[in-house]
Amino acid sequence: MLLYRSDEWYNRLSPEELQSLMDQNKAWIETLTAQGKAKPGRALERRGAFVSGKNGRFVTDGPFAESKEAIGGYLVLDVETLDEAIAIAQTIPGLAYGGSIEVRPIAEECPLDVRAREFAREEQLATV
Amino acid sequence: MNTQNQNGYMLLFRGNDWIKSLSPEEKQRVTDQWMAWFRRLTDEGKAVAGNPLEREGKIVSGKNRVVSDGPFAESKEAIGGYFLLDVASLDDAVAIARECPGLPYGVKVEVRPVAAECPVASELKKEAEFATV
């Protein structure tokens, strides 16, 4: 999964730069889709909410649009290795203007399950 | 805050370090609750996708497309997984986020409306409209 982190850098581009970037983006995603490597991906709106605390009692506004760490969108890739996903992330046209791409492997199973199994194994070993 | 959105909502589960503080029994219970929660939302047609993410990865950034390690597993802000929801309002999505079994342990859920189009495209349209006025 590619997570696109950036502030609203595109507001600083000229109309010509914007148009050129749009064209590059379109070509980029079309190539990946034709290669069967791009699965669903979407942009996220620059607003939303954070829910935290027991029973979700804290609901606050966020994330803040000007944050460079805010996630602006995501793309799920159908590739076999982290290296291949990184190589694709490096070809993202908008990277030249700012932002960063977080590249994350989708887990086979929930890490909670993995931890629970490790505990079970440790317990088993302890009883031997 | 009841904004309507046709494109659905994304829940991003933030916080990676909370798992370590749980006992094996608690871990098992939270896992079961989380799975049951996702299954129920799927059955109700409210969750359309969801995945846990591995506690590792890379960051690609800058003009030179530099690759660095990250995100760090112990980060409170690191994203551990996501759900994609097919609900009509931010309030609905927040109500679902408030059911997250990880909340009592320090998980923070980010709720985001999915955009109809790329923000670069919207920006371009705005400028075009402005130019014709």
Side-chain angles (χ1 to χ4, degrees), chain B residues 60-87:
Chain B
V60 178
S61 60
K63 254 188 192 145
N64 300 322
R65 284 136 215 269
V66 178
V67 181
S68 55
D69 281 339
F72 302 104
E74 64 273 18
S75 163
K76 281 194 176 15
E77 296 299 318
I79 291 168
Y82 69 97
F83 284 1
L84 203 54
L85 301 180
D86 184 13
V87 295

Side-chain angles (χ1 to χ4, degrees), chain B residues 11 36-48 83 85 96 99:
Chain B
L11 301 187
W37 180 46
F38 185 62
R39 222 169 288 130
R40 175 170 61 77
L41 290 173
T42 307
D43 289 346
E44 292 171 350
K46 290 176 181 167
V48 288
F83 284 1
L85 301 180
I96 291 173
E99 299 171 349

Side-chain angles (χ1 to χ4, degrees), chain B residues 4-115:
Chain B
Q4 299 289 316
N5 182 7
Q6 311 258 304
N7 304 295
Y9 290 80
M10 190 171 212
L11 301 187
L12 296 163
F13 302 110
R14 288 183 178 269
N16 274 345
D17 55 347
W18 58 280
I19 301 173
K20 286 185 208 134
S21 61
L22 304 191
S23 72
E25 293 74 26
E26 280 177 313
K27 253 176 211 125
Q28 190 59 56
R29 201 178 60 236
V30 179
T31 309
D32 293 346
Q33 284 172 355
W34 208 303
M35 292 306 290
W37 180 46
F38 185 62
R39 222 169 288 130
R40 175 170 61 77
L41 290 173
T42 307
D43 289 346
E44 292 171 350
K46 290 176 181 167
V48 288
N51 272 308
L53 300 177
E54 301 264 13
R55 275 22 185 180
E56 50 167 279
K58 298 282 180 186
I59 308 284
V60 178
S61 60
K63 254 188 192 145
N64 300 322
R65 284 136 215 269
V66 178
V67 181
S68 55
D69 281 339
F72 302 104
E74 64 273 18
S75 163
K76 281 194 176 15
E77 296 299 318
I79 291 168
Y82 69 97
F83 284 1
L84 203 54
L85 301 180
D86 184 13
V87 295
S89 74
L90 186 59
D91 284 348
D92 290 343
V94 167
I96 291 173
R98 295 183 73 185
E99 299 171 349
C100 172
L103 285 173
Y105 305 99
V107 169
K108 191 165 153 191
V109 188
E110 181 174 334
V111 186
R112 298 286 299 278
V114 173

Side-chain angles (χ1 to χ4, degrees), chain A residues 11-97:
Chain A
N11 290 341
R12 301 190 287 267
L13 298 187
S14 71
E16 294 72 29
E17 281 175 313
L18 266 179
Q19 188 59 60
S20 144
L21 187 60
M22 285 285 301
D23 296 344
Q24 289 175 47
N25 268 339
K26 196 158 167 272
W28 182 75
I29 196 75
E30 276 169 4
T31 307
L32 280 182
T33 307
Q35 292 169 344
K37 290 176 182 169
K39 297 223 287 190
R42 298 302 288 268
L44 301 179
E45 295 209 17
R46 296 271 164 183
R47 59 187 173 87
F50 283 114
V51 178
S52 62
K54 208 169 177 175
N55 303 320
R57 61 184 163 213
F58 305 119
V59 180
T60 54
D61 283 344
F64 301 105
E66 63 272 21
S67 163
K68 285 198 189 330
E69 297 297 315
I71 291 173
Y74 71 96
L75 178 64
V76 176
L77 296 179
D78 190 7
V79 295
E80 294 293 317
T81 66
L82 184 58
D83 283 347
E84 203 178 341
I86 291 169
I88 290 172
Q90 286 178 313
T91 61
I92 290 178
L95 263 183
Y97 299 97

